PDB file of all heavy atoms in Angstrom:
ATOM      1  N   PHE A   1      92.313 192.888 205.170  1.00  0.00           N
ATOM      2  CA  PHE A   1      91.588 192.015 206.084  1.00  0.00           C
ATOM      3  C   PHE A   1      92.265 190.655 206.172  1.00  0.00           C
ATOM      4  O   PHE A   1      93.093 190.276 205.352  1.00  0.00           O
ATOM      5  CB  PHE A   1      90.127 191.884 205.644  1.00  0.00           C
ATOM      6  CG  PHE A   1      89.349 193.149 205.810  1.00  0.00           C
ATOM      7  CD1 PHE A   1      89.204 194.044 204.750  1.00  0.00           C
ATOM      8  CD2 PHE A   1      88.777 193.477 207.027  1.00  0.00           C
ATOM      9  CE1 PHE A   1      88.502 195.221 204.895  1.00  0.00           C
ATOM     10  CE2 PHE A   1      88.075 194.660 207.189  1.00  0.00           C
ATOM     11  CZ  PHE A   1      87.930 195.535 206.121  1.00  0.00           C
ATOM     12  N   GLN A   2      91.856 189.903 207.201  1.00  0.00           N
ATOM     13  CA  GLN A   2      92.577 188.703 207.600  1.00  0.00           C
ATOM     14  C   GLN A   2      92.516 187.583 206.576  1.00  0.00           C
ATOM     15  O   GLN A   2      93.498 186.892 206.372  1.00  0.00           O
ATOM     16  CB  GLN A   2      92.017 188.225 208.941  1.00  0.00           C
ATOM     17  CG  GLN A   2      92.893 187.245 209.654  1.00  0.00           C
ATOM     18  CD  GLN A   2      92.445 187.031 211.097  1.00  0.00           C
ATOM     19  OE1 GLN A   2      92.345 185.903 211.544  1.00  0.00           O
ATOM     20  NE2 GLN A   2      92.176 188.095 211.816  1.00  0.00           N
ATOM     21  N   GLU A   3      91.378 187.393 205.921  1.00  0.00           N
ATOM     22  CA  GLU A   3      91.218 186.251 205.032  1.00  0.00           C
ATOM     23  C   GLU A   3      90.838 186.727 203.633  1.00  0.00           C
ATOM     24  O   GLU A   3      89.699 187.124 203.393  1.00  0.00           O
ATOM     25  CB  GLU A   3      90.130 185.312 205.582  1.00  0.00           C
ATOM     26  CG  GLU A   3      89.867 184.077 204.732  1.00  0.00           C
ATOM     27  CD  GLU A   3      91.129 183.334 204.340  1.00  0.00           C
ATOM     28  OE1 GLU A   3      91.828 182.827 205.231  1.00  0.00           O
ATOM     29  OE2 GLU A   3      91.421 183.287 203.122  1.00  0.00           O
ATOM     30  N   PRO A   4      91.774 186.719 202.676  1.00  0.00           N
ATOM     31  CA  PRO A   4      91.491 187.290 201.354  1.00  0.00           C
ATOM     32  C   PRO A   4      90.396 186.567 200.587  1.00  0.00           C
ATOM     33  O   PRO A   4      89.682 187.171 199.797  1.00  0.00           O
ATOM     34  CB  PRO A   4      92.840 187.191 200.623  1.00  0.00           C
ATOM     35  CG  PRO A   4      93.603 186.140 201.338  1.00  0.00           C
ATOM     36  CD  PRO A   4      93.153 186.210 202.769  1.00  0.00           C
ATOM     37  N   MET A   5      90.230 185.247 200.794  1.00  0.00           N
ATOM     38  CA  MET A   5      89.222 184.523 200.031  1.00  0.00           C
ATOM     39  C   MET A   5      87.822 184.944 200.426  1.00  0.00           C
ATOM     40  O   MET A   5      86.911 184.987 199.593  1.00  0.00           O
ATOM     41  CB  MET A   5      89.395 183.010 200.225  1.00  0.00           C
ATOM     42  CG  MET A   5      88.656 182.170 199.172  1.00  0.00           C
ATOM     43  SD  MET A   5      89.173 182.596 197.493  1.00  0.00           S
ATOM     44  CE  MET A   5      87.710 182.178 196.556  1.00  0.00           C
ATOM     45  N   THR A   6      87.606 185.264 201.700  1.00  0.00           N
ATOM     46  CA  THR A   6      86.280 185.707 202.126  1.00  0.00           C
ATOM     47  C   THR A   6      86.117 187.226 202.003  1.00  0.00           C
ATOM     48  O   THR A   6      84.996 187.724 201.993  1.00  0.00           O
ATOM     49  CB  THR A   6      86.017 185.289 203.592  1.00  0.00           C
ATOM     50  OG1 THR A   6      87.058 185.801 204.424  1.00  0.00           O
ATOM     51  CG2 THR A   6      85.989 183.774 203.721  1.00  0.00           C
ATOM     52  N   SER A   7      87.219 187.961 201.908  1.00  0.00           N
ATOM     53  CA  SER A   7      87.136 189.419 201.774  1.00  0.00           C
ATOM     54  C   SER A   7      86.865 189.843 200.333  1.00  0.00           C
ATOM     55  O   SER A   7      86.245 190.882 200.092  1.00  0.00           O
ATOM     56  CB  SER A   7      88.435 190.061 202.264  1.00  0.00           C
ATOM     57  OG  SER A   7      88.666 189.767 203.621  1.00  0.00           O
ATOM     58  N   LEU A   8      87.335 189.052 199.375  1.00  0.00           N
ATOM     59  CA  LEU A   8      87.074 189.351 197.967  1.00  0.00           C
ATOM     60  C   LEU A   8      85.733 188.746 197.554  1.00  0.00           C
ATOM     61  O   LEU A   8      85.393 187.630 197.952  1.00  0.00           O
ATOM     62  CB  LEU A   8      88.195 188.787 197.090  1.00  0.00           C
ATOM     63  CG  LEU A   8      89.571 189.444 197.260  1.00  0.00           C
ATOM     64  CD1 LEU A   8      90.649 188.643 196.534  1.00  0.00           C
ATOM     65  CD2 LEU A   8      89.552 190.879 196.762  1.00  0.00           C
ATOM     66  N   ASN A   9      84.979 189.480 196.747  1.00  0.00           N
ATOM     67  CA  ASN A   9      83.674 189.008 196.277  1.00  0.00           C
ATOM     68  C   ASN A   9      83.877 188.000 195.143  1.00  0.00           C
ATOM     69  O   ASN A   9      84.468 188.340 194.112  1.00  0.00           O
ATOM     70  CB  ASN A   9      82.841 190.188 195.795  1.00  0.00           C
ATOM     71  CG  ASN A   9      81.380 189.822 195.607  1.00  0.00           C
ATOM     72  OD1 ASN A   9      81.067 188.755 195.100  1.00  0.00           O
ATOM     73  ND2 ASN A   9      80.498 190.712 196.017  1.00  0.00           N
ATOM     74  N   PRO A  10      83.404 186.762 195.293  1.00  0.00           N
ATOM     75  CA  PRO A  10      83.682 185.728 194.288  1.00  0.00           C
ATOM     76  C   PRO A  10      82.978 185.941 192.952  1.00  0.00           C
ATOM     77  O   PRO A  10      83.353 185.320 191.956  1.00  0.00           O
ATOM     78  CB  PRO A  10      83.190 184.443 194.964  1.00  0.00           C
ATOM     79  CG  PRO A  10      82.152 184.900 195.945  1.00  0.00           C
ATOM     80  CD  PRO A  10      82.633 186.233 196.428  1.00  0.00           C
ATOM     81  N   VAL A  11      81.961 186.810 192.890  1.00  0.00           N
ATOM     82  CA  VAL A  11      81.195 186.961 191.648  1.00  0.00           C
ATOM     83  C   VAL A  11      81.630 188.179 190.833  1.00  0.00           C
ATOM     84  O   VAL A  11      81.060 188.451 189.781  1.00  0.00           O
ATOM     85  CB  VAL A  11      79.676 187.023 191.924  1.00  0.00           C
ATOM     86  CG1 VAL A  11      79.218 185.758 192.631  1.00  0.00           C
ATOM     87  CG2 VAL A  11      79.311 188.259 192.736  1.00  0.00           C
ATOM     88  N   PHE A  12      82.622 188.925 191.321  1.00  0.00           N
ATOM     89  CA  PHE A  12      83.147 190.071 190.575  1.00  0.00           C
ATOM     90  C   PHE A  12      84.613 189.843 190.258  1.00  0.00           C
ATOM     91  O   PHE A  12      85.336 189.210 191.024  1.00  0.00           O
ATOM     92  CB  PHE A  12      82.990 191.369 191.378  1.00  0.00           C
ATOM     93  CG  PHE A  12      81.572 191.845 191.498  1.00  0.00           C
ATOM     94  CD1 PHE A  12      80.845 191.583 192.645  1.00  0.00           C
ATOM     95  CD2 PHE A  12      80.963 192.533 190.459  1.00  0.00           C
ATOM     96  CE1 PHE A  12      79.536 192.007 192.765  1.00  0.00           C
ATOM     97  CE2 PHE A  12      79.647 192.959 190.564  1.00  0.00           C
ATOM     98  CZ  PHE A  12      78.917 192.692 191.725  1.00  0.00           C
ATOM     99  N   THR A  13      85.041 190.376 189.129  1.00  0.00           N
ATOM    100  CA  THR A  13      86.443 190.220 188.746  1.00  0.00           C
ATOM    101  C   THR A  13      87.338 191.053 189.667  1.00  0.00           C
ATOM    102  O   THR A  13      86.876 191.967 190.363  1.00  0.00           O
ATOM    103  CB  THR A  13      86.678 190.672 187.302  1.00  0.00           C
ATOM    104  OG1 THR A  13      86.445 192.089 187.203  1.00  0.00           O
ATOM    105  CG2 THR A  13      85.778 189.925 186.332  1.00  0.00           C
ATOM    106  N   ILE A  14      88.614 190.732 189.619  1.00  0.00           N
ATOM    107  CA  ILE A  14      89.595 191.500 190.386  1.00  0.00           C
ATOM    108  C   ILE A  14      89.557 192.969 189.979  1.00  0.00           C
ATOM    109  O   ILE A  14      89.579 193.875 190.814  1.00  0.00           O
ATOM    110  CB  ILE A  14      91.005 190.921 190.170  1.00  0.00           C
ATOM    111  CG1 ILE A  14      91.087 189.475 190.685  1.00  0.00           C
ATOM    112  CG2 ILE A  14      92.060 191.798 190.826  1.00  0.00           C
ATOM    113  CD1 ILE A  14      90.725 189.295 192.132  1.00  0.00           C
ATOM    114  N   GLY A  15      89.474 193.208 188.675  1.00  0.00           N
ATOM    115  CA  GLY A  15      89.445 194.584 188.177  1.00  0.00           C
ATOM    116  C   GLY A  15      88.244 195.357 188.686  1.00  0.00           C
ATOM    117  O   GLY A  15      88.360 196.533 189.070  1.00  0.00           O
ATOM    118  N   ASP A  16      87.063 194.712 188.693  1.00  0.00           N
ATOM    119  CA  ASP A  16      85.859 195.381 189.188  1.00  0.00           C
ATOM    120  C   ASP A  16      86.029 195.808 190.645  1.00  0.00           C
ATOM    121  O   ASP A  16      85.593 196.894 191.040  1.00  0.00           O
ATOM    122  CB  ASP A  16      84.651 194.448 189.070  1.00  0.00           C
ATOM    123  CG  ASP A  16      84.184 194.287 187.628  1.00  0.00           C
ATOM    124  OD1 ASP A  16      84.477 195.179 186.812  1.00  0.00           O
ATOM    125  OD2 ASP A  16      83.525 193.270 187.334  1.00  0.00           O
ATOM    126  N   GLN A  17      86.654 194.945 191.434  1.00  0.00           N
ATOM    127  CA  GLN A  17      86.752 195.218 192.863  1.00  0.00           C
ATOM    128  C   GLN A  17      87.776 196.306 193.178  1.00  0.00           C
ATOM    129  O   GLN A  17      87.601 197.079 194.116  1.00  0.00           O
ATOM    130  CB  GLN A  17      87.071 193.917 193.606  1.00  0.00           C
ATOM    131  CG  GLN A  17      85.928 192.912 193.458  1.00  0.00           C
ATOM    132  CD  GLN A  17      86.146 191.635 194.236  1.00  0.00           C
ATOM    133  OE1 GLN A  17      86.200 191.648 195.461  1.00  0.00           O
ATOM    134  NE2 GLN A  17      86.235 190.514 193.528  1.00  0.00           N
ATOM    135  N   ILE A  18      88.830 196.394 192.386  1.00  0.00           N
ATOM    136  CA  ILE A  18      89.807 197.466 192.605  1.00  0.00           C
ATOM    137  C   ILE A  18      89.253 198.796 192.100  1.00  0.00           C
ATOM    138  O   ILE A  18      89.362 199.830 192.773  1.00  0.00           O
ATOM    139  CB  ILE A  18      91.139 197.145 191.916  1.00  0.00           C
ATOM    140  CG1 ILE A  18      91.732 195.840 192.465  1.00  0.00           C
ATOM    141  CG2 ILE A  18      92.140 198.285 192.135  1.00  0.00           C
ATOM    142  CD1 ILE A  18      93.006 195.401 191.765  1.00  0.00           C
ATOM    143  N   THR A  19      88.659 198.787 190.906  1.00  0.00           N
ATOM    144  CA  THR A  19      88.144 200.042 190.339  1.00  0.00           C
ATOM    145  C   THR A  19      86.983 200.602 191.162  1.00  0.00           C
ATOM    146  O   THR A  19      86.801 201.818 191.218  1.00  0.00           O
ATOM    147  CB  THR A  19      87.691 199.847 188.882  1.00  0.00           C
ATOM    148  OG1 THR A  19      86.713 198.796 188.815  1.00  0.00           O
ATOM    149  CG2 THR A  19      88.861 199.494 187.985  1.00  0.00           C
ATOM    150  N   GLU A  20      86.210 199.729 191.807  1.00  0.00           N
ATOM    151  CA  GLU A  20      85.110 200.216 192.650  1.00  0.00           C
ATOM    152  C   GLU A  20      85.635 201.112 193.768  1.00  0.00           C
ATOM    153  O   GLU A  20      85.059 202.173 194.049  1.00  0.00           O
ATOM    154  CB  GLU A  20      84.351 199.036 193.250  1.00  0.00           C
ATOM    155  CG  GLU A  20      83.207 199.462 194.169  1.00  0.00           C
ATOM    156  CD  GLU A  20      82.548 198.294 194.867  1.00  0.00           C
ATOM    157  OE1 GLU A  20      83.161 197.208 194.924  1.00  0.00           O
ATOM    158  OE2 GLU A  20      81.433 198.472 195.378  1.00  0.00           O
ATOM    159  N   VAL A  21      86.741 200.704 194.393  1.00  0.00           N
ATOM    160  CA  VAL A  21      87.322 201.505 195.474  1.00  0.00           C
ATOM    161  C   VAL A  21      87.841 202.831 194.929  1.00  0.00           C
ATOM    162  O   VAL A  21      87.632 203.896 195.531  1.00  0.00           O
ATOM    163  CB  VAL A  21      88.464 200.729 196.158  1.00  0.00           C
ATOM    164  CG1 VAL A  21      89.162 201.601 197.196  1.00  0.00           C
ATOM    165  CG2 VAL A  21      87.933 199.456 196.799  1.00  0.00           C
ATOM    166  N   ILE A  22      88.502 202.793 193.782  1.00  0.00           N
ATOM    167  CA  ILE A  22      89.072 204.008 193.200  1.00  0.00           C
ATOM    168  C   ILE A  22      87.971 205.010 192.857  1.00  0.00           C
ATOM    169  O   ILE A  22      88.045 206.196 193.191  1.00  0.00           O
ATOM    170  CB  ILE A  22      89.906 203.661 191.955  1.00  0.00           C
ATOM    171  CG1 ILE A  22      91.102 202.783 192.349  1.00  0.00           C
ATOM    172  CG2 ILE A  22      90.386 204.935 191.255  1.00  0.00           C
ATOM    173  CD1 ILE A  22      91.840 202.190 191.164  1.00  0.00           C
ATOM    174  N   ARG A  23      86.911 204.529 192.211  1.00  0.00           N
ATOM    175  CA  ARG A  23      85.844 205.427 191.760  1.00  0.00           C
ATOM    176  C   ARG A  23      84.977 205.916 192.918  1.00  0.00           C
ATOM    177  O   ARG A  23      84.331 206.967 192.809  1.00  0.00           O
ATOM    178  CB  ARG A  23      84.987 204.735 190.709  1.00  0.00           C
ATOM    179  CG  ARG A  23      85.782 204.337 189.454  1.00  0.00           C
ATOM    180  CD  ARG A  23      84.882 203.914 188.327  1.00  0.00           C
ATOM    181  NE  ARG A  23      84.204 205.066 187.746  1.00  0.00           N
ATOM    182  CZ  ARG A  23      83.211 204.980 186.846  1.00  0.00           C
ATOM    183  NH1 ARG A  23      82.788 203.775 186.464  1.00  0.00           N
ATOM    184  NH2 ARG A  23      82.650 206.053 186.358  1.00  0.00           N
ATOM    185  N   GLU A  24      84.974 205.160 194.020  1.00  0.00           N
ATOM    186  CA  GLU A  24      84.220 205.593 195.194  1.00  0.00           C
ATOM    187  C   GLU A  24      84.839 206.842 195.822  1.00  0.00           C
ATOM    188  O   GLU A  24      84.128 207.710 196.344  1.00  0.00           O
ATOM    189  CB  GLU A  24      84.192 204.454 196.232  1.00  0.00           C
ATOM    190  CG  GLU A  24      83.573 204.804 197.561  1.00  0.00           C
ATOM    191  CD  GLU A  24      82.061 204.990 197.498  1.00  0.00           C
ATOM    192  OE1 GLU A  24      81.426 204.471 196.536  1.00  0.00           O
ATOM    193  OE2 GLU A  24      81.521 205.668 198.396  1.00  0.00           O
ATOM    194  N   HIS A  25      86.162 206.956 195.731  1.00  0.00           N
ATOM    195  CA  HIS A  25      86.855 208.036 196.433  1.00  0.00           C
ATOM    196  C   HIS A  25      87.488 209.077 195.509  1.00  0.00           C
ATOM    197  O   HIS A  25      87.926 210.121 195.989  1.00  0.00           O
ATOM    198  CB  HIS A  25      87.950 207.453 197.331  1.00  0.00           C
ATOM    199  CG  HIS A  25      87.417 206.578 198.428  1.00  0.00           C
ATOM    200  ND1 HIS A  25      86.736 207.079 199.511  1.00  0.00           N
ATOM    201  CD2 HIS A  25      87.457 205.232 198.589  1.00  0.00           C
ATOM    202  CE1 HIS A  25      86.379 206.081 200.310  1.00  0.00           C
ATOM    203  NE2 HIS A  25      86.807 204.954 199.782  1.00  0.00           N
ATOM    204  N   GLN A  26      87.567 208.795 194.220  1.00  0.00           N
ATOM    205  CA  GLN A  26      88.223 209.724 193.293  1.00  0.00           C
ATOM    206  C   GLN A  26      87.330 209.978 192.083  1.00  0.00           C
ATOM    207  O   GLN A  26      86.663 209.063 191.587  1.00  0.00           O
ATOM    208  CB  GLN A  26      89.574 209.164 192.846  1.00  0.00           C
ATOM    209  CG  GLN A  26      90.555 208.955 193.991  1.00  0.00           C
ATOM    210  CD  GLN A  26      91.873 208.366 193.529  1.00  0.00           C
ATOM    211  OE1 GLN A  26      92.089 208.140 192.346  1.00  0.00           O
ATOM    212  NE2 GLN A  26      92.774 208.113 194.479  1.00  0.00           N
ATOM    213  N   ALA A  27      87.342 211.225 191.608  1.00  0.00           N
ATOM    214  CA  ALA A  27      86.525 211.603 190.456  1.00  0.00           C
ATOM    215  C   ALA A  27      87.268 211.254 189.164  1.00  0.00           C
ATOM    216  O   ALA A  27      87.903 212.108 188.539  1.00  0.00           O
ATOM    217  CB  ALA A  27      86.195 213.087 190.511  1.00  0.00           C
ATOM    218  N   VAL A  28      87.229 209.978 188.782  1.00  0.00           N
ATOM    219  CA  VAL A  28      87.907 209.511 187.579  1.00  0.00           C
ATOM    220  C   VAL A  28      86.936 208.683 186.742  1.00  0.00           C
ATOM    221  O   VAL A  28      85.927 208.172 187.241  1.00  0.00           O
ATOM    222  CB  VAL A  28      89.148 208.659 187.926  1.00  0.00           C
ATOM    223  CG1 VAL A  28      90.180 209.491 188.670  1.00  0.00           C
ATOM    224  CG2 VAL A  28      88.760 207.436 188.749  1.00  0.00           C
ATOM    225  N   SER A  29      87.244 208.559 185.451  1.00  0.00           N
ATOM    226  CA  SER A  29      86.428 207.735 184.569  1.00  0.00           C
ATOM    227  C   SER A  29      86.727 206.259 184.802  1.00  0.00           C
ATOM    228  O   SER A  29      87.711 205.904 185.461  1.00  0.00           O
ATOM    229  CB  SER A  29      86.720 208.099 183.108  1.00  0.00           C
ATOM    230  OG  SER A  29      88.053 207.727 182.775  1.00  0.00           O
ATOM    231  N   ARG A  30      85.903 205.388 184.218  1.00  0.00           N
ATOM    232  CA  ARG A  30      86.141 203.950 184.370  1.00  0.00           C
ATOM    233  C   ARG A  30      87.470 203.554 183.728  1.00  0.00           C
ATOM    234  O   ARG A  30      88.221 202.745 184.284  1.00  0.00           O
ATOM    235  CB  ARG A  30      85.001 203.152 183.735  1.00  0.00           C
ATOM    236  CG  ARG A  30      85.174 201.645 183.896  1.00  0.00           C
ATOM    237  CD  ARG A  30      83.945 200.860 183.524  1.00  0.00           C
ATOM    238  NE  ARG A  30      84.169 199.449 183.769  1.00  0.00           N
ATOM    239  CZ  ARG A  30      84.050 198.869 184.952  1.00  0.00           C
ATOM    240  NH1 ARG A  30      83.718 199.595 186.005  1.00  0.00           N
ATOM    241  NH2 ARG A  30      84.263 197.581 185.100  1.00  0.00           N
ATOM    242  N   ALA A  31      87.777 204.142 182.575  1.00  0.00           N
ATOM    243  CA  ALA A  31      89.039 203.816 181.900  1.00  0.00           C
ATOM    244  C   ALA A  31      90.236 204.239 182.756  1.00  0.00           C
ATOM    245  O   ALA A  31      91.229 203.513 182.852  1.00  0.00           O
ATOM    246  CB  ALA A  31      89.095 204.505 180.536  1.00  0.00           C
ATOM    247  N   GLN A  32      90.138 205.416 183.365  1.00  0.00           N
ATOM    248  CA  GLN A  32      91.224 205.877 184.233  1.00  0.00           C
ATOM    249  C   GLN A  32      91.371 204.970 185.464  1.00  0.00           C
ATOM    250  O   GLN A  32      92.482 204.667 185.900  1.00  0.00           O
ATOM    251  CB  GLN A  32      90.962 207.315 184.673  1.00  0.00           C
ATOM    252  CG  GLN A  32      91.119 208.348 183.570  1.00  0.00           C
ATOM    253  CD  GLN A  32      90.660 209.725 183.995  1.00  0.00           C
ATOM    254  OE1 GLN A  32      89.642 209.879 184.681  1.00  0.00           O
ATOM    255  NE2 GLN A  32      91.418 210.752 183.595  1.00  0.00           N
ATOM    256  N   ALA A  33      90.232 204.534 186.011  1.00  0.00           N
ATOM    257  CA  ALA A  33      90.270 203.646 187.176  1.00  0.00           C
ATOM    258  C   ALA A  33      90.889 202.297 186.813  1.00  0.00           C
ATOM    259  O   ALA A  33      91.658 201.731 187.595  1.00  0.00           O
ATOM    260  CB  ALA A  33      88.858 203.447 187.732  1.00  0.00           C
ATOM    261  N   GLU A  34      90.573 201.787 185.620  1.00  0.00           N
ATOM    262  CA  GLU A  34      91.147 200.513 185.193  1.00  0.00           C
ATOM    263  C   GLU A  34      92.647 200.635 184.966  1.00  0.00           C
ATOM    264  O   GLU A  34      93.414 199.721 185.298  1.00  0.00           O
ATOM    265  CB  GLU A  34      90.450 200.036 183.915  1.00  0.00           C
ATOM    266  CG  GLU A  34      89.023 199.547 184.158  1.00  0.00           C
ATOM    267  CD  GLU A  34      88.349 199.102 182.868  1.00  0.00           C
ATOM    268  OE1 GLU A  34      88.935 199.335 181.769  1.00  0.00           O
ATOM    269  OE2 GLU A  34      87.245 198.539 182.947  1.00  0.00           O
ATOM    270  N   SER A  35      93.077 201.774 184.429  1.00  0.00           N
ATOM    271  CA  SER A  35      94.509 202.003 184.246  1.00  0.00           C
ATOM    272  C   SER A  35      95.224 202.063 185.597  1.00  0.00           C
ATOM    273  O   SER A  35      96.304 201.486 185.772  1.00  0.00           O
ATOM    274  CB  SER A  35      94.725 203.312 183.482  1.00  0.00           C
ATOM    275  OG  SER A  35      96.104 203.612 183.365  1.00  0.00           O
ATOM    276  N   ARG A  36      94.592 202.733 186.569  1.00  0.00           N
ATOM    277  CA  ARG A  36      95.152 202.810 187.909  1.00  0.00           C
ATOM    278  C   ARG A  36      95.191 201.425 188.564  1.00  0.00           C
ATOM    279  O   ARG A  36      96.154 201.067 189.243  1.00  0.00           O
ATOM    280  CB  ARG A  36      94.325 203.778 188.753  1.00  0.00           C
ATOM    281  CG  ARG A  36      94.650 203.807 190.244  1.00  0.00           C
ATOM    282  CD  ARG A  36      96.059 204.266 190.519  1.00  0.00           C
ATOM    283  NE  ARG A  36      96.309 204.387 191.948  1.00  0.00           N
ATOM    284  CZ  ARG A  36      97.498 204.402 192.525  1.00  0.00           C
ATOM    285  NH1 ARG A  36      98.592 204.282 191.776  1.00  0.00           N
ATOM    286  NH2 ARG A  36      97.635 204.527 193.820  1.00  0.00           N
ATOM    287  N   ALA A  37      94.145 200.614 188.329  1.00  0.00           N
ATOM    288  CA  ALA A  37      94.097 199.264 188.897  1.00  0.00           C
ATOM    289  C   ALA A  37      95.240 198.411 188.369  1.00  0.00           C
ATOM    290  O   ALA A  37      95.868 197.652 189.123  1.00  0.00           O
ATOM    291  CB  ALA A  37      92.749 198.617 188.575  1.00  0.00           C
ATOM    292  N   ALA A  38      95.526 198.538 187.083  1.00  0.00           N
ATOM    293  CA  ALA A  38      96.653 197.790 186.501  1.00  0.00           C
ATOM    294  C   ALA A  38      97.976 198.253 187.110  1.00  0.00           C
ATOM    295  O   ALA A  38      98.868 197.442 187.387  1.00  0.00           O
ATOM    296  CB  ALA A  38      96.666 197.970 184.986  1.00  0.00           C
ATOM    297  N   GLU A  39      98.115 199.572 187.334  1.00  0.00           N
ATOM    298  CA  GLU A  39      99.323 200.097 187.980  1.00  0.00           C
ATOM    299  C   GLU A  39      99.495 199.512 189.384  1.00  0.00           C
ATOM    300  O   GLU A  39     100.608 199.172 189.798  1.00  0.00           O
ATOM    301  CB  GLU A  39      99.245 201.626 188.074  1.00  0.00           C
ATOM    302  CG  GLU A  39      99.362 202.357 186.741  1.00  0.00           C
ATOM    303  CD  GLU A  39      99.182 203.854 186.920  1.00  0.00           C
ATOM    304  OE1 GLU A  39      99.112 204.315 188.089  1.00  0.00           O
ATOM    305  OE2 GLU A  39      99.101 204.569 185.910  1.00  0.00           O
ATOM    306  N   LEU A  40      98.381 199.415 190.100  1.00  0.00           N
ATOM    307  CA  LEU A  40      98.440 198.888 191.471  1.00  0.00           C
ATOM    308  C   LEU A  40      98.848 197.419 191.482  1.00  0.00           C
ATOM    309  O   LEU A  40      99.653 196.998 192.316  1.00  0.00           O
ATOM    310  CB  LEU A  40      97.076 199.058 192.153  1.00  0.00           C
ATOM    311  CG  LEU A  40      96.711 200.490 192.540  1.00  0.00           C
ATOM    312  CD1 LEU A  40      95.225 200.608 192.853  1.00  0.00           C
ATOM    313  CD2 LEU A  40      97.540 200.934 193.750  1.00  0.00           C
TER     314      LEU A  40
END
């Protein structure tokens, strides 16, 4: 999206916001999602 400051939720960490997308679409554990988030 056009403006990253308004697109990212200010009350959640970067990790929470990346892992939320991963877990929404893939059947993985939280630990696996966090590992994938670090890779990204």
